[in-house]
Amino acid sequence: MGMMRLSKCLVSLLFLVALSGFSHGFVMSPRTLLNRFSQNSNYYLTTEEHWFDQTLDHYSPYDHRQFKQRYYEFLDYFQVPDGPIFLKICGESSCNGISNDYLGVLAKKFGAAVVSLEHRYYGKSSPFKSHTTENLKYLSSKQALFDLAVFRQWYQESLNLKRNKTGAENSWFVFGISYSGALSAWFRLKFPHLTCGSLASSGVVLAVYNYTDFDKQVGESAGPECKAVLQEITELVDRSLESNRKELKKQFGAAELEIDGDFLYFLADAAVIAFQYGNPDALCTPLVEAKKAGEDLVAVYAKYVKDFYVGTFGVSVETYNQNHLKNTAVNEGSSDRLWWFQVCTEVAYFQVAPSNDSVRSSKINTKYIAKVYSE
């Protein structure tokens, strides 16, 4: 019966992998969507915090420093003693609980326990009181993978102690989305003996330096008519920056973005969000109608940015400000600095403009990106 249940579980997970093959990509403020949904108390299965003593440097046999790493557990559906354990990997933002999503449905169906480990440095799991560049040297996906392995072993042993068993092994499955999806896939490859399977939903496993295909996908998703309007707006904005910089930025509610590249990245991401999270009509319908009516396209786009991207979606303009990224304080806003550090040192995914037919401004290039990281 145990093997039959496990086989059915694997089939269901493979089906979910097939369903989850659409692209998520990355935006500058990865925690925004999570924060917006998490304001709903029904969003979480649990928000009760637990703590685990984690090794700071898994690659040094001499460094024995540890830090407190936050995790969550949900056992309401767990079929003791041999139910599976679902390890949900938290990614590049504060992990405030175990979300009540498809994983809860699967846990109930298969009698699984659900545990979730916060990524090192993010949220309340920072090893240091300041995020100086020197202190960030232990922030990497490689260290994070070992965090997961050590936690998995510790948690399994804790269960065994509670049941007065020795050497018992439950079936472990790891789950992740986007960056944490990549961690899920890499974990399965690096530690195949610690898990029976991995669900890497939109897992970005291939690091790309000049990620021009990101902009190309935006244009394809927009369709010819909306794409053409977006390109026209980009051209108008580029020209206006040369003669009317301050008023233009004020029009978009982004006067604090003194660096033009920051401002243009902000406008580019505003368009991306409409397609990335399934709201193309919120962007394209008013723009196409404005084009047909001969209205001011920049004004219409500015309204969309302020009302939808900042207002409804909840993005903070500050996250695009390079001065904000220099802030080394450990707080909720630290996620931006931390993720940019990881992008710079490991995964890249630089969402730069293609050499031709670009939707975003051509000024969003590797020269601009390099300046962000050199500051």
Side-chain angles (χ1 to χ4, degrees), residues 264-322:
L264 293 170
Y265 208 133
F266 167 63
L267 297 192
D269 268 358
V272 168
I273 287 300
F275 308 110
Q276 190 172 11
Y277 292 107
N279 297 286
D281 292 341
L283 171 67
C284 289
T285 298
L287 290 185
V288 172
E289 289 178 352
K291 174 64 177 176
K292 292 178 179 178
E295 298 175 11
D296 185 338
L297 293 179
V298 174
V300 175
Y301 188 55
K303 185 178 186 305
Y304 158 81
V305 171
K306 289 185 291 187
D307 292 352
F308 185 81
Y309 190 46
V310 176
T312 302
F313 198 77
V315 164
S316 170
V317 177
E318 182 187 46
T319 62
Y320 290 84
N321 191 329
Q322 289 184 39

Side-chain angles (χ1 to χ4, degrees), residues 183-227:
L183 290 176
S184 176
W186 295 333
F187 185 81
R188 173 65 177 153
L189 289 172
K190 191 169 184 63
F191 302 105
H193 60 294
L194 298 183
T195 175
C196 295
S198 160
L199 174 58
S201 180
S202 301
V204 283
V205 295
L206 178 63
V208 181
Y209 182 70
N210 283 329
Y211 195 13
T212 54
D213 284 346
F214 189 86
D215 187 83
K216 292 176 182 178
Q217 182 60 54
V218 172
E220 184 176 326
S221 298
E225 194 172 24
C226 185
K227 176 185 176 181

Side-chain angles (χ1 to χ4, degrees), residues 47-120:
T47 57
E48 183 179 349
E49 299 175 341
H50 300 274
W51 299 92
F52 163 69
D53 290 328
Q54 183 62 268
T55 300
L56 176 62
D57 186 2
H58 296 286
Y59 289 87
S60 173
Y62 309 108
D63 190 342
H64 301 295
R65 287 177 294 172
Q66 294 182 318
F67 67 97
K68 295 291 183 181
Q69 193 164 21
R70 182 167 59 166
Y71 75 94
Y72 303 89
E73 64 177 1
F74 182 74
L75 305 177
D76 287 19
Y77 305 141
F78 187 41
Q79 292 183 1
V80 179
D82 60 350
I85 300 175
F86 294 165
L87 173 55
K88 184 173 185 179
I89 304 174
C90 284
E92 68 281 25
S93 62
S94 178
C95 188
N96 301 317
I98 298 177
S99 54
N100 186 11
D101 53 21
Y102 72 94
L103 194 54
V105 176
L106 283 176
K108 187 174 184 178
K109 180 176 182 179
F110 297 110
V114 184
V115 293
S116 186
L117 183 69
E118 186 168 60
H119 196 294
R120 58 167 55 208

